[in-house]
Amino acid sequence: MAKYAITGTQQSVSGTYKTVLAVAATSGSLRRGKIYDVLIGTNGTPADNYLQWDISRITLLGSGTAVTPVALDPADAAALGTAQNNCTSEPTVTPNSSLFNVGVNQRASYRWVAAPGSELLFPATANNGLALRTLSGGYTGSATGDFMYEEQ
């Protein structure tokens, strides 16, 4: 049960959801994942805008920049899951599958840590995972997000 960190950025927030970070089981050796820590924020010029943040289930990754999960314990093997950030083509989101949805002022960062047993899970099914997405009606800069997750 190794634990990993992944970090991501979305360069162009808009009025429709854009994926900052996604993680999914690969089609090879399958493991399910448990996201237990989420950190979100922006790195643009400070202003009073809101960003709506969402974590939803996905059944297929989109097109984005590959992110290599970093093992929290250097003795652990490489992650089997696939991660990406700064998606230019959105993942296939399962309708009505939001597990996390919060509005946050652009000037603030936000951290969510799961209570034990309340982690956000994705199955050991090829291409299934979770996507961290954001949108804003007034902010068009860059947004950042981090996941800490466990593979089982």
Side-chain angles (χ1 to χ4, degrees), residues 81-106:
T82 301
Q84 61 184 204
N85 81 132
N86 199 32
C87 292
T88 54
S89 170
E90 291 298 306
T92 302
V93 174
T94 304
N96 303 313
S97 68
S98 180
L99 302 175
F100 171 97
N101 194 285
V102 64
V104 177
N105 187 287
Q106 178 195 345

PDB file of all heavy atoms in Angstrom, residues 81-106:
ATOM      1  N   GLY A  81      -0.553   3.740 -11.381  1.00  0.00           N
ATOM      2  CA  GLY A  81      -1.550   4.644 -11.942  1.00  0.00           C
ATOM      3  C   GLY A  81      -0.940   5.650 -12.902  1.00  0.00           C
ATOM      4  O   GLY A  81       0.274   5.857 -12.938  1.00  0.00           O
ATOM      5  N   THR A  82      -1.803   6.269 -13.698  1.00  0.00           N
ATOM      6  CA  THR A  82      -1.407   7.291 -14.658  1.00  0.00           C
ATOM      7  C   THR A  82      -1.962   8.629 -14.194  1.00  0.00           C
ATOM      8  O   THR A  82      -3.126   8.710 -13.795  1.00  0.00           O
ATOM      9  CB  THR A  82      -1.972   6.962 -16.053  1.00  0.00           C
ATOM     10  OG1 THR A  82      -1.472   5.690 -16.450  1.00  0.00           O
ATOM     11  CG2 THR A  82      -1.584   8.002 -17.070  1.00  0.00           C
ATOM     12  N   ALA A  83      -1.151   9.667 -14.264  1.00  0.00           N
ATOM     13  CA  ALA A  83      -1.600  11.002 -13.862  1.00  0.00           C
ATOM     14  C   ALA A  83      -1.254  12.008 -14.943  1.00  0.00           C
ATOM     15  O   ALA A  83      -0.299  11.829 -15.703  1.00  0.00           O
ATOM     16  CB  ALA A  83      -0.948  11.397 -12.541  1.00  0.00           C
ATOM     17  N   GLN A  84      -2.065  13.070 -15.018  1.00  0.00           N
ATOM     18  CA  GLN A  84      -1.802  14.151 -15.972  1.00  0.00           C
ATOM     19  C   GLN A  84      -2.321  15.466 -15.410  1.00  0.00           C
ATOM     20  O   GLN A  84      -3.162  15.482 -14.512  1.00  0.00           O
ATOM     21  CB  GLN A  84      -2.405  13.858 -17.342  1.00  0.00           C
ATOM     22  CG  GLN A  84      -3.878  13.707 -17.361  1.00  0.00           C
ATOM     23  CD  GLN A  84      -4.438  13.331 -18.725  1.00  0.00           C
ATOM     24  OE1 GLN A  84      -5.588  13.607 -18.972  1.00  0.00           O
ATOM     25  NE2 GLN A  84      -3.690  12.710 -19.582  1.00  0.00           N
ATOM     26  N   ASN A  85      -1.783  16.552 -15.951  1.00  0.00           N
ATOM     27  CA  ASN A  85      -2.236  17.878 -15.553  1.00  0.00           C
ATOM     28  C   ASN A  85      -2.359  18.760 -16.787  1.00  0.00           C
ATOM     29  O   ASN A  85      -2.041  18.353 -17.905  1.00  0.00           O
ATOM     30  CB  ASN A  85      -1.305  18.477 -14.502  1.00  0.00           C
ATOM     31  CG  ASN A  85      -0.038  19.110 -15.044  1.00  0.00           C
ATOM     32  OD1 ASN A  85       0.300  20.212 -14.674  1.00  0.00           O
ATOM     33  ND2 ASN A  85       0.677  18.425 -15.919  1.00  0.00           N
ATOM     34  N   ASN A  86      -2.874  19.978 -16.581  1.00  0.00           N
ATOM     35  CA  ASN A  86      -3.022  20.971 -17.652  1.00  0.00           C
ATOM     36  C   ASN A  86      -3.699  20.366 -18.885  1.00  0.00           C
ATOM     37  O   ASN A  86      -3.201  20.460 -20.001  1.00  0.00           O
ATOM     38  CB  ASN A  86      -1.661  21.574 -18.008  1.00  0.00           C
ATOM     39  CG  ASN A  86      -1.802  22.886 -18.743  1.00  0.00           C
ATOM     40  OD1 ASN A  86      -2.738  23.645 -18.512  1.00  0.00           O
ATOM     41  ND2 ASN A  86      -0.873  23.155 -19.634  1.00  0.00           N
ATOM     42  N   CYS A  87      -4.845  19.762 -18.670  1.00  0.00           N
ATOM     43  CA  CYS A  87      -5.553  19.069 -19.749  1.00  0.00           C
ATOM     44  C   CYS A  87      -6.022  20.042 -20.828  1.00  0.00           C
ATOM     45  O   CYS A  87      -6.614  21.072 -20.537  1.00  0.00           O
ATOM     46  CB  CYS A  87      -6.735  18.286 -19.198  1.00  0.00           C
ATOM     47  SG  CYS A  87      -6.214  16.899 -18.190  1.00  0.00           S
ATOM     48  N   THR A  88      -5.730  19.695 -22.056  1.00  0.00           N
ATOM     49  CA  THR A  88      -6.200  20.473 -23.203  1.00  0.00           C
ATOM     50  C   THR A  88      -7.428  19.832 -23.820  1.00  0.00           C
ATOM     51  O   THR A  88      -8.174  20.481 -24.538  1.00  0.00           O
ATOM     52  CB  THR A  88      -5.091  20.600 -24.263  1.00  0.00           C
ATOM     53  OG1 THR A  88      -4.630  19.294 -24.600  1.00  0.00           O
ATOM     54  CG2 THR A  88      -3.928  21.423 -23.717  1.00  0.00           C
ATOM     55  N   SER A  89      -7.626  18.556 -23.557  1.00  0.00           N
ATOM     56  CA  SER A  89      -8.829  17.816 -23.932  1.00  0.00           C
ATOM     57  C   SER A  89      -9.329  17.164 -22.652  1.00  0.00           C
ATOM     58  O   SER A  89      -8.584  16.438 -21.996  1.00  0.00           O
ATOM     59  CB  SER A  89      -8.497  16.770 -24.994  1.00  0.00           C
ATOM     60  OG  SER A  89      -9.578  15.902 -25.191  1.00  0.00           O
ATOM     61  N   GLU A  90     -10.559  17.442 -22.287  1.00  0.00           N
ATOM     62  CA  GLU A  90     -11.070  17.019 -20.986  1.00  0.00           C
ATOM     63  C   GLU A  90     -11.274  15.504 -20.897  1.00  0.00           C
ATOM     64  O   GLU A  90     -11.629  14.856 -21.876  1.00  0.00           O
ATOM     65  CB  GLU A  90     -12.384  17.738 -20.686  1.00  0.00           C
ATOM     66  CG  GLU A  90     -12.216  19.221 -20.438  1.00  0.00           C
ATOM     67  CD  GLU A  90     -11.337  19.514 -19.231  1.00  0.00           C
ATOM     68  OE1 GLU A  90     -11.617  19.000 -18.130  1.00  0.00           O
ATOM     69  OE2 GLU A  90     -10.354  20.257 -19.390  1.00  0.00           O
ATOM     70  N   PRO A  91     -11.072  14.947 -19.692  1.00  0.00           N
ATOM     71  CA  PRO A  91     -11.385  13.536 -19.469  1.00  0.00           C
ATOM     72  C   PRO A  91     -12.889  13.292 -19.621  1.00  0.00           C
ATOM     73  O   PRO A  91     -13.684  14.236 -19.567  1.00  0.00           O
ATOM     74  CB  PRO A  91     -10.957  13.287 -18.022  1.00  0.00           C
ATOM     75  CG  PRO A  91     -10.232  14.481 -17.566  1.00  0.00           C
ATOM     76  CD  PRO A  91     -10.550  15.589 -18.494  1.00  0.00           C
ATOM     77  N   THR A  92     -13.265  12.037 -19.759  1.00  0.00           N
ATOM     78  CA  THR A  92     -14.678  11.675 -19.814  1.00  0.00           C
ATOM     79  C   THR A  92     -15.194  11.576 -18.381  1.00  0.00           C
ATOM     80  O   THR A  92     -14.863  10.637 -17.660  1.00  0.00           O
ATOM     81  CB  THR A  92     -14.867  10.336 -20.552  1.00  0.00           C
ATOM     82  OG1 THR A  92     -14.309  10.461 -21.861  1.00  0.00           O
ATOM     83  CG2 THR A  92     -16.333   9.973 -20.655  1.00  0.00           C
ATOM     84  N   VAL A  93     -15.981  12.558 -17.980  1.00  0.00           N
ATOM     85  CA  VAL A  93     -16.499  12.637 -16.616  1.00  0.00           C
ATOM     86  C   VAL A  93     -17.819  11.874 -16.531  1.00  0.00           C
ATOM     87  O   VAL A  93     -18.693  12.033 -17.386  1.00  0.00           O
ATOM     88  CB  VAL A  93     -16.697  14.109 -16.192  1.00  0.00           C
ATOM     89  CG1 VAL A  93     -17.363  14.207 -14.831  1.00  0.00           C
ATOM     90  CG2 VAL A  93     -15.360  14.840 -16.187  1.00  0.00           C
ATOM     91  N   THR A  94     -17.948  11.043 -15.520  1.00  0.00           N
ATOM     92  CA  THR A  94     -19.192  10.322 -15.268  1.00  0.00           C
ATOM     93  C   THR A  94     -20.233  11.323 -14.779  1.00  0.00           C
ATOM     94  O   THR A  94     -19.971  12.050 -13.808  1.00  0.00           O
ATOM     95  CB  THR A  94     -18.971   9.231 -14.209  1.00  0.00           C
ATOM     96  OG1 THR A  94     -17.919   8.374 -14.644  1.00  0.00           O
ATOM     97  CG2 THR A  94     -20.230   8.433 -13.961  1.00  0.00           C
ATOM     98  N   PRO A  95     -21.405  11.396 -15.431  1.00  0.00           N
ATOM     99  CA  PRO A  95     -22.434  12.354 -14.992  1.00  0.00           C
ATOM    100  C   PRO A  95     -22.839  12.136 -13.534  1.00  0.00           C
ATOM    101  O   PRO A  95     -22.896  11.004 -13.053  1.00  0.00           O
ATOM    102  CB  PRO A  95     -23.614  12.068 -15.927  1.00  0.00           C
ATOM    103  CG  PRO A  95     -23.002  11.410 -17.126  1.00  0.00           C
ATOM    104  CD  PRO A  95     -21.829  10.631 -16.604  1.00  0.00           C
ATOM    105  N   ASN A  96     -23.080  13.232 -12.841  1.00  0.00           N
ATOM    106  CA  ASN A  96     -23.553  13.210 -11.449  1.00  0.00           C
ATOM    107  C   ASN A  96     -22.646  12.405 -10.525  1.00  0.00           C
ATOM    108  O   ASN A  96     -23.133  11.658  -9.672  1.00  0.00           O
ATOM    109  CB  ASN A  96     -24.985  12.671 -11.379  1.00  0.00           C
ATOM    110  CG  ASN A  96     -25.932  13.469 -12.241  1.00  0.00           C
ATOM    111  OD1 ASN A  96     -25.924  14.700 -12.204  1.00  0.00           O
ATOM    112  ND2 ASN A  96     -26.731  12.792 -13.044  1.00  0.00           N
ATOM    113  N   SER A  97     -21.330  12.538 -10.711  1.00  0.00           N
ATOM    114  CA  SER A  97     -20.386  11.755  -9.909  1.00  0.00           C
ATOM    115  C   SER A  97     -19.490  12.617  -9.036  1.00  0.00           C
ATOM    116  O   SER A  97     -18.461  12.143  -8.562  1.00  0.00           O
ATOM    117  CB  SER A  97     -19.524  10.883 -10.828  1.00  0.00           C
ATOM    118  OG  SER A  97     -18.656  11.703 -11.597  1.00  0.00           O
ATOM    119  N   SER A  98     -19.852  13.865  -8.817  1.00  0.00           N
ATOM    120  CA  SER A  98     -19.017  14.748  -8.014  1.00  0.00           C
ATOM    121  C   SER A  98     -18.907  14.230  -6.584  1.00  0.00           C
ATOM    122  O   SER A  98     -19.905  13.933  -5.934  1.00  0.00           O
ATOM    123  CB  SER A  98     -19.586  16.166  -8.012  1.00  0.00           C
ATOM    124  OG  SER A  98     -18.760  17.009  -7.233  1.00  0.00           O
ATOM    125  N   LEU A  99     -17.671  14.118  -6.105  1.00  0.00           N
ATOM    126  CA  LEU A  99     -17.407  13.666  -4.747  1.00  0.00           C
ATOM    127  C   LEU A  99     -16.974  14.816  -3.844  1.00  0.00           C
ATOM    128  O   LEU A  99     -16.929  14.674  -2.619  1.00  0.00           O
ATOM    129  CB  LEU A  99     -16.313  12.598  -4.745  1.00  0.00           C
ATOM    130  CG  LEU A  99     -16.590  11.357  -5.583  1.00  0.00           C
ATOM    131  CD1 LEU A  99     -15.373  10.452  -5.591  1.00  0.00           C
ATOM    132  CD2 LEU A  99     -17.805  10.633  -5.059  1.00  0.00           C
ATOM    133  N   PHE A 100     -16.618  15.952  -4.457  1.00  0.00           N
ATOM    134  CA  PHE A 100     -16.057  17.097  -3.737  1.00  0.00           C
ATOM    135  C   PHE A 100     -16.399  18.316  -4.563  1.00  0.00           C
ATOM    136  O   PHE A 100     -16.154  18.343  -5.769  1.00  0.00           O
ATOM    137  CB  PHE A 100     -14.539  16.895  -3.649  1.00  0.00           C
ATOM    138  CG  PHE A 100     -13.735  18.051  -3.122  1.00  0.00           C
ATOM    139  CD1 PHE A 100     -13.360  18.100  -1.796  1.00  0.00           C
ATOM    140  CD2 PHE A 100     -13.295  19.064  -3.969  1.00  0.00           C
ATOM    141  CE1 PHE A 100     -12.572  19.143  -1.323  1.00  0.00           C
ATOM    142  CE2 PHE A 100     -12.509  20.103  -3.502  1.00  0.00           C
ATOM    143  CZ  PHE A 100     -12.147  20.142  -2.170  1.00  0.00           C
ATOM    144  N   ASN A 101     -17.014  19.335  -3.956  1.00  0.00           N
ATOM    145  CA  ASN A 101     -17.339  20.546  -4.694  1.00  0.00           C
ATOM    146  C   ASN A 101     -17.327  21.703  -3.717  1.00  0.00           C
ATOM    147  O   ASN A 101     -18.078  21.700  -2.733  1.00  0.00           O
ATOM    148  CB  ASN A 101     -18.706  20.412  -5.380  1.00  0.00           C
ATOM    149  CG  ASN A 101     -18.915  21.488  -6.410  1.00  0.00           C
ATOM    150  OD1 ASN A 101     -19.173  22.638  -6.072  1.00  0.00           O
ATOM    151  ND2 ASN A 101     -18.786  21.106  -7.665  1.00  0.00           N
ATOM    152  N   VAL A 102     -16.460  22.678  -3.964  1.00  0.00           N
ATOM    153  CA  VAL A 102     -16.310  23.797  -3.040  1.00  0.00           C
ATOM    154  C   VAL A 102     -15.912  25.053  -3.813  1.00  0.00           C
ATOM    155  O   VAL A 102     -15.144  24.987  -4.771  1.00  0.00           O
ATOM    156  CB  VAL A 102     -15.271  23.468  -1.939  1.00  0.00           C
ATOM    157  CG1 VAL A 102     -13.887  23.260  -2.511  1.00  0.00           C
ATOM    158  CG2 VAL A 102     -15.259  24.532  -0.849  1.00  0.00           C
ATOM    159  N   GLY A 103     -16.467  26.191  -3.423  1.00  0.00           N
ATOM    160  CA  GLY A 103     -16.058  27.481  -3.967  1.00  0.00           C
ATOM    161  C   GLY A 103     -15.017  28.097  -3.054  1.00  0.00           C
ATOM    162  O   GLY A 103     -15.167  28.080  -1.829  1.00  0.00           O
ATOM    163  N   VAL A 104     -13.949  28.637  -3.646  1.00  0.00           N
ATOM    164  CA  VAL A 104     -12.851  29.204  -2.862  1.00  0.00           C
ATOM    165  C   VAL A 104     -12.459  30.542  -3.470  1.00  0.00           C
ATOM    166  O   VAL A 104     -12.355  30.666  -4.694  1.00  0.00           O
ATOM    167  CB  VAL A 104     -11.625  28.247  -2.861  1.00  0.00           C
ATOM    168  CG1 VAL A 104     -10.452  28.851  -2.110  1.00  0.00           C
ATOM    169  CG2 VAL A 104     -11.998  26.898  -2.273  1.00  0.00           C
ATOM    170  N   ASN A 105     -12.233  31.541  -2.618  1.00  0.00           N
ATOM    171  CA  ASN A 105     -11.756  32.830  -3.096  1.00  0.00           C
ATOM    172  C   ASN A 105     -10.362  32.659  -3.681  1.00  0.00           C
ATOM    173  O   ASN A 105      -9.543  31.909  -3.147  1.00  0.00           O
ATOM    174  CB  ASN A 105     -11.738  33.850  -1.957  1.00  0.00           C
ATOM    175  CG  ASN A 105     -11.422  35.253  -2.427  1.00  0.00           C
ATOM    176  OD1 ASN A 105     -10.281  35.553  -2.778  1.00  0.00           O
ATOM    177  ND2 ASN A 105     -12.433  36.109  -2.436  1.00  0.00           N
ATOM    178  N   GLN A 106     -10.095  33.372  -4.755  1.00  0.00           N
ATOM    179  CA  GLN A 106      -8.801  33.275  -5.438  1.00  0.00           C
ATOM    180  C   GLN A 106      -7.633  33.609  -4.519  1.00  0.00           C
ATOM    181  O   GLN A 106      -6.543  33.081  -4.679  1.00  0.00           O
ATOM    182  CB  GLN A 106      -8.790  34.205  -6.646  1.00  0.00           C
ATOM    183  CG  GLN A 106      -7.483  34.219  -7.387  1.00  0.00           C
ATOM    184  CD  GLN A 106      -7.368  35.393  -8.335  1.00  0.00           C
ATOM    185  OE1 GLN A 106      -8.340  36.043  -8.659  1.00  0.00           O
ATOM    186  NE2 GLN A 106      -6.149  35.664  -8.770  1.00  0.00           N
TER     187      GLN A 106
END
